Amino acid sequence: MSGRLVHIGSAVVDYVYRIDALPAPGTEKTASSFAKVAGGGFNMMVAASRTGMRVVFGGQLGSGPNGDFLRAAFATEGIETLTRPSPLMDSGNCVAMISGDAERTFVSWPGAESVLSLDMMAPVRVAPEDWVFASGYTLSYVGSRDALADWIEAQPAEIPFVFDPTPVVSDIPRTILDRVLARTGWLSCNTMEAAEIAGPGNVEAIAARLLSNHCPGAEGVIIRAGAIGCFVRLADGGAKAIPGFKVAAVDTNGAGDTHIGAFVSALSRGVPPFEAARYANAAAALSVTRHGGSSAPTDQEIQTFLSHDDRLTTVHGRKQEAHF
């Protein structure tokens, strides 16, 4: 394994409620279960770590009970935090409601992860062969977007930078988004996020526009389509739809994070992009069969899953198909 994953994103505490369906306006539901778990960028970091990559966190954690909870979760997964805790506020949280069709709905409250400065990020030093990752969440916050964009642009050109715009892509000022996309080496997004950036069309056309018009320096883009799989287009013109896998999904929370973490981990080991995407599809498929956002499988579990040839070409039509 070469290099580390340097995650410059946000981690929050998730309060997860399982319900049969979302309540109608003005009504109430009783959850069948509740859990307090580490979430946000933690899910992506776990996926990379469990598939063999060394992971360090360069974002900001809080100084209250949420921050303490996240630090304990990081320690359990062997993830080192490079920055000092915020002296001003606690880490944020997110209420996640998982309905009976395995879909998820979120309401979040930003905390320390929404405030970054270049001084705070001074301890985050990237070494040769490291990989850097950032998400749209940190770029959507008024208190972190400018410093993070400046920091990303300052990194050496040879350092691979992976970017996930996330569902809040429309909240990122276009000037900031364009700066980050111009530095992106690999873009991973779902179908809705891809269309938000590059406009409507079929996946082949959108992927081509992402590369030519928005990420001219990228090695490739990967557009995730949930259970359907993903579409990969490379800078050299190569393109391929990578099919998903038939599984019985119970919770799609964190599936996209798992996909990205496994994909980056595979690429860092020298796995070719199309094969890395298939590996990531398998990781995401396994994750949705388990409860919780940080349900990423290990490399051994993924390899065992992939060894079953009867699973390699089938997809399923569960409702969560557009959200990996």
Side-chain angles (χ1 to χ4, degrees):
M1 176 68 64
S2 61
R4 306 169 300 171
L5 172 65
V6 182
H7 191 291
I8 309 296
S10 57
V12 297
V13 174
D14 281 351
Y15 296 92
V16 183
Y17 298 82
R18 296 194 62 82
I19 53 179
D20 58 349
L22 290 177
T27 67
E28 182 177 342
K29 288 277 186 179
T30 299
S32 60
S33 69
F34 164 77
K36 177 183 176 182
V37 297
F42 178 74
N43 300 330
M44 186 272 190
M45 290 183 272
V46 166
S49 178
R50 290 181 184 173
T51 50
M53 199 171 189
R54 183 186 170 200
V55 179
V56 296
F57 180 61
Q60 185 76 179
L61 295 179
S63 53
N66 283 350
D68 293 343
F69 183 86
L70 290 169
R71 275 182 287 276
F74 279 30
T76 298
E77 295 289 340
I79 298 169
E80 178 186 1
T81 300
L82 302 178
T83 56
R84 294 180 178 178
S86 168
L88 302 176
M89 65 186 78
D90 200 1
S91 293
N93 65 78
C94 176
V95 173
M97 292 174 285
I98 312 299
S99 50
D101 57 5
E103 272 294 0
R104 68 274 195 276
T105 303
F106 301 127
V107 178
S108 61
W109 175 252
E113 71 283 353
S114 67
V115 180
L116 277 179
S117 69
L118 290 177
D119 286 344
M120 290 178 184
M121 299 177 70
V124 186
R125 299 181 180 89
V126 178
E129 299 188 342
D130 282 348
W131 290 66
V132 172
F133 173 85
S135 84
Y137 286 108
T138 317
L139 291 167
S140 72
Y141 301 133
V142 174
S144 59
R145 61 174 63 130
D146 293 306
L148 181 58
D150 289 345
W151 188 90
I152 290 168
E153 287 181 326
Q155 298 312 301
E158 63 271 17
I159 298 295
F161 171 61
V162 183
F163 178 52
D164 172 18
T166 74
V168 300
V169 59
S170 61
D171 296 332
I172 304 171
R174 199 71 195 205
T175 53
I176 294 288
L177 181 62
D178 288 345
R179 290 170 59 192
V180 173
L181 289 171
R183 177 57 184 84
T184 296
W186 277 100
L187 178 70
S188 177
C189 52
N190 69 29
T191 53
M192 293 181 291
E193 296 153 8
E196 176 67 30
I197 296 171
N202 61 47
V203 69
E204 293 89 349
I206 291 174
R209 290 200 302 271
L210 284 170
L211 276 174
S212 63
N213 300 342
H214 302 280
C215 307
E219 293 185 50
V221 299
I222 180 166
I223 300 177
R224 310 183 309 272
I228 295 171
C230 63
F231 182 83
V232 181
R233 183 177 177 92
L234 307 178
D236 65 9
K240 190 174 183 180
I242 313 295
F245 300 91
K246 184 177 181 179
V247 295
V250 298
D251 186 349
T252 61
N253 187 19
D257 298 317
T258 296
H259 195 282
I260 301 167
F263 182 68
V264 173
S265 179
L267 288 179
S268 76
R269 300 193 299 269
V271 177
F274 295 151
E275 186 178 340
R278 177 170 167 266
Y279 180 89
N281 282 356
L286 282 168
S287 77
V288 303
T289 66
R290 305 166 178 178
H291 293 297
S294 55
S295 55
T298 65
D299 176 68
Q300 183 58 55
E301 288 173 321
I302 297 169
Q303 299 294 354
T304 299
F305 181 85
L306 288 172
S307 70
H308 295 283
D309 291 341
D310 60 330
R311 291 175 172 167
L312 298 186
T313 58
T314 56
V315 300
H316 67 96
R318 295 298 297 263
K319 187 178 178 182
Q320 74 276 13
E321 59 196 13
H323 301 294
F324 270 9

